Amino acid sequence: MGSIMLSSLSLCSGRVGDLLGRRVIFKTGLTLYTAGAGLAAISGSFAQLLAFRCVMALGLAMAAPLAGAIIASLHTDQSRGRALGLLAASIALGRTTGPTIGGLILQFWSWRAVFFANCIFGIAICLTLFFTFKEREERRAVSIDLFAVFSLVMGFLHFLSL
């Protein structure tokens, strides 16, 4: 369920970011991800864990696609490529080292510690962002096709279940 949410809602987050502000959606997504990680760490049942993982997926679907857009809008033509390259390198570093670090945390502590670690890092990043992104950003008048969003989510659900 989380991968379906991430795959389908990531495409919609950019449009919502244009409507409400990229930084607002990015900060909201990161906050949801962090809260979901903290709640997953203290979940009392598998159903709760699954629900909180869905909250994490929703937050990631909101934040991940907007990171590049925010970075691109903050940098000039001369520094934009380097900044986006650093973003891509940091994502690759996280994807390559994350499983090993998660495995070590699991080996020495428990699965809950993996979620607590995500929550702690998320809190630090949220605090940094809330102090860094203070100014208002411009919003653009865009429309959102709710039927298309619904169709996209249901379409991904259908194709991934085949």
Side-chain angles (χ1 to χ4, degrees):
M1 181 63 132
S3 63
I4 295 166
M5 289 177 64
L6 184 61
S7 300
S8 57
L9 295 179
S10 288
L11 297 173
C12 305
S13 295
R15 184 63 116 190
V16 174
D18 287 340
L19 180 64
L20 301 176
R22 291 176 183 155
R23 294 175 185 181
V24 170
I25 300 302
F26 182 78
K27 289 191 290 188
T28 303
L30 188 59
T31 302
L32 276 174
Y33 180 84
T34 302
L39 291 168
I42 61 172
S43 61
S45 68
F46 179 73
Q48 286 179 343
L49 178 62
L50 186 60
F52 297 138
R53 289 285 290 148
C54 287
V55 171
M56 291 175 69
L58 176 63
L60 186 59
M62 293 170 71
L66 293 173
I70 291 169
I71 288 171
S73 69
L74 291 175
H75 288 274
T76 64
D77 291 340
Q78 292 79 19
S79 64
R80 188 174 298 129
R82 182 179 182 155
L84 290 172
L86 288 172
L87 173 65
S90 65
I91 291 170
L93 181 66
R95 287 187 176 171
T96 56
T97 60
T100 302
I101 294 169
L104 289 171
I105 291 172
L106 248 151
Q107 180 71 31
F108 293 110
W109 292 288
S110 72
W111 62 269
R112 294 179 189 274
V114 174
F115 291 110
F116 275 126
N118 278 310
C119 184
I120 290 168
F121 282 113
I123 289 170
I125 294 168
C126 282
L127 289 174
T128 302
L129 285 178
F130 283 104
F131 288 118
T132 304
F133 288 159
K134 288 184 179 180
E135 69 273 358
R136 307 277 293 166
E137 67 178 322
E138 74 177 56
R139 298 176 184 181
R140 294 187 286 175
V142 296
S143 63
I144 296 178
D145 185 351
L146 294 177
F147 180 73
V149 171
F150 177 76
S151 299
L152 185 65
V153 172
M154 296 313 292
F156 269 108
L157 179 63
H158 174 71
F159 286 121
L160 290 175
S161 66
L162 292 176

